[in-house]
Amino acid sequence: MFTIAAAVAVTLLAGRVYQPVRAETPAPMTVEQLAALEARALAAAGSPAGLTAPESMQVQIRKGETFEQAIRRTGVGLEEAKAVVATIAGAFDVSQLGAGLKFETAVARPRGGRGGDSRLIGLTMRTGPASQLTVSRTFDGALRLRALEEKVTHETVVLKSEVKGSLYATAQRMGASGAVTRKAVQLFSHKFDMDRDIKGSDEFTLVFARTVTETGRVVETGELLYAELKGQVFYRYKPVGGGETQYFDATGKNTRSAFMRTPLAGGYRMSSSFGYRRHPISGYRRMHQGIDFAAGTGTPIVAPADGVVVEARRWGGYGNWLRIRHSNGLESGYGHLSRYASGIRPGQRVRQGQVVAYVGSTGASTGPHLHYEIWRNGQRINPAGVKTQEGTILSGAELTAFRAEKARIDRVILAGGERRAGQASALRPASNG
């Protein structure tokens, strides 16, 4: 409807000779101005002579296809498609309009199934997180290009809540992005078993940056700045001279332990513990040399520590099996996998928190779950009992810089968040050269 509305007073074109294309680029319109334009257009729109009423059609540029070819798939003629491309090229670099980009068109087709080309009445395309353009026809049949640039606000959000169901689900319901939530759960997994240690009454706090438009649409989410759960706090800090972003406690101690408590970022229920049990398939009582997590097929599995892949192969009842060697004589093993993450093969180095595989039900399995093992010096041990050394402590100039960043984050939390006006990025304008 938005794109159809952009074709203002289409009925006035009936009986007129099609005019040469003239690209016009008036001043950007506000949301309110555009809404008024749409209302007037809807009231005036009708069916062009010999053509049906405009119908909306979404188009996505295919791999190996040009923007012009994508327009042609709507049924319009070659010259008209070229005219639309030329109109847009006057304001934007059309070379950026590649495979995957979607746009809306309004097209009127010949009546009664008669042959001939369809007529493009309007086209709307998003050119950036908070910007879009509309191509429509003027009263004399020329094409007009209009740009809408929404105002954006940069926010630092302070999200506080009790856990309801799971921390992951609660944070997402309250507006945290998937990336922010995964990072928080990954950090907390250094300190807690996300299934057994976290209860519904536990409170958590997440602080993160995001950019929203004046209509409330989130166009960009930044990194997690702060996370707190059950007295454990994590402050984001990037070293002054560059380097990897890390998280520290209030004293400047790196909160990253050498080994995460669980290898699943979402905090899933442990369905079978380490020790003797009746095997669900054979029926015999036997030693279960790992722990099982109840999780659906395709759930991401992360490396609990830095390491090197030793095995990624089929192994009997384990089905698709993965083994990673870590420091201090430790190795981790994963069974019944549905598949491995991209690039995972023997000899490949992995980082703590990196996705290495996905939950499945291959091998001797009664349903989707993760079988997780820990080996120390070649012997299987209970994964729940692994304890390792904590991270390093900042000092000197780095500690001073960290304290300044911590104070800034604390002020934001005390204020309940902050907001400031800003601009969102868009496609590059067309080159003058």
Side-chain angles (χ1 to χ4, degrees):
M1 292 297 292
F2 177 88
T3 307
I4 294 173
V8 182
V10 173
T11 51
L12 297 180
L13 295 175
R16 290 184 176 223
V17 177
Y18 178 65
Q19 299 293 317
V21 173
R22 182 175 71 254
E24 300 179 6
T25 311
M29 302 179 66
T30 66
V31 175
E32 293 76 14
Q33 289 172 330
L34 191 58
L37 175 66
E38 292 172 16
R40 292 197 302 272
L42 283 172
S47 301
L51 299 175
T52 63
E55 61 181 76
S56 179
M57 176 186 299
Q58 186 179 77
V59 182
Q60 183 172 15
I61 301 178
R62 297 170 179 169
K63 186 176 181 180
E65 184 179 52
T66 66
F67 179 47
E68 179 183 307
Q69 291 169 334
I71 295 175
R72 288 294 308 279
R73 282 196 282 112
T74 66
V76 304
L78 177 61
E79 290 305 314
E80 186 150 323
K82 287 181 177 296
V84 174
V85 173
T87 301
I88 294 176
F92 293 94
D93 184 354
V94 295
S95 66
Q96 293 189 69
L97 307 180
L101 183 136
K102 296 179 180 179
F103 56 92
E104 293 280 345
T105 62
V107 178
R109 307 193 182 282
R111 287 184 182 277
R114 292 180 295 178
D117 295 329
S118 299
R119 171 66 66 89
L120 182 74
I121 305 302
L123 181 149
T124 301
M125 178 172 57
R126 186 161 292 284
T127 55
S131 62
Q132 68 182 35
L133 60 82
T134 297
V135 177
S136 59
R137 295 195 182 278
T138 61
F139 294 110
D140 59 358
L143 294 176
R144 167 170 288 185
L145 180 68
R146 290 190 178 275
L148 170 65
E149 191 77 34
E150 289 189 82
K151 295 179 181 178
V152 297
T153 301
H154 298 306
E155 299 180 338
T156 302
V157 179
V158 179
L159 189 160
K160 295 186 177 184
S161 175
E162 289 187 350
V163 175
K164 298 175 183 178
S166 73
L167 186 145
Y168 190 94
T170 305
Q172 291 234 285
R173 281 196 303 269
M174 297 190 66
S177 70
V180 164
T181 307
R182 284 191 295 272
K183 173 56 71 173
V185 173
Q186 179 185 327
L187 291 172
F188 293 141
S189 294
H190 289 288
K191 303 296 182 182
F192 307 110
D193 181 315
M194 297 302 290
D195 172 47
R196 293 180 295 177
D197 296 342
I198 308 304
K199 299 178 174 57
S201 58
D202 292 329
E203 294 186 350
F204 68 92
T205 301
L206 303 181
V207 179
F208 55 93
R210 70 181 182 186
T211 302
V212 299
T213 68
E214 54 191 307
T215 56
R217 183 171 54 86
V218 177
V219 295
E220 186 177 24
T221 301
E223 294 186 30
L224 178 69
L225 300 177
Y226 173 90
E228 179 181 2
L229 176 66
K230 297 184 69 170
Q232 294 288 341
V233 298
F234 301 84
Y235 288 88
R236 176 190 178 278
Y237 174 68
K238 189 175 181 65
V240 176
E244 180 186 3
T245 296
Q246 299 182 50
Y247 290 83
F248 297 82
D249 66 13
T251 67
K253 182 177 180 180
N254 191 326
T255 56
R256 190 176 87 163
S257 62
F259 226 85
M260 294 168 61
R261 296 286 299 273
T262 59
L264 294 176
Y268 291 84
R269 177 179 62 85
M270 187 174 71
S271 56
S272 185
S273 59
F274 184 91
Y276 282 95
R277 66 167 187 175
R278 184 176 298 279
H279 194 275
I281 295 180
S282 68
Y284 293 106
R285 183 174 172 77
R286 55 193 292 188
M287 182 66 176
H288 184 231
Q289 301 187 96
I291 56 179
D292 292 346
F293 291 95
T297 297
T299 301
I301 301 165
V302 299
D306 295 350
V308 178
V309 176
V310 178
E311 294 178 307
R313 63 183 178 93
R314 192 84 177 185
W315 189 25
Y318 286 94
N320 291 330
W321 164 257
L322 174 67
R323 184 161 60 98
I324 301 174
R325 179 172 296 135
H326 310 282
S327 60
N328 300 320
L330 292 174
E331 295 181 343
S332 57
Y334 315 81
H336 311 304
L337 309 175
S338 61
R339 60 188 176 95
Y340 305 101
S342 176
I344 296 300
R345 59 186 180 278
Q348 179 68 39
R349 297 197 64 84
V350 296
R351 300 293 302 270
Q352 186 178 60
Q354 178 182 336
V355 175
V356 293
Y358 299 88
V359 171
S361 187
T362 55
S365 170
T366 58
H369 72 284
L370 171 65
H371 175 78
Y372 178 55
E373 296 184 356
I374 296 293
W375 306 47
R376 187 190 296 277
N377 300 323
Q379 299 293 319
R380 291 181 175 90
I381 62 173
N382 187 350
V386 175
K387 295 182 179 179
T388 55
Q389 184 178 357
E390 296 288 334
T392 57
I393 301 176
L394 293 173
S395 61
E398 288 290 358
L399 179 59
T400 301
F402 166 75
R403 286 172 174 168
E405 174 64 4
K406 173 185 176 297
R408 184 188 73 83
I409 294 174
D410 287 341
R411 288 194 297 271
V412 172
I413 296 173
L414 186 62
E418 65 179 12
R419 294 166 58 90
R420 59 186 176 83
Q423 290 184 334
S425 59
L427 287 180
R428 292 194 302 271
S431 172
N432 293 326

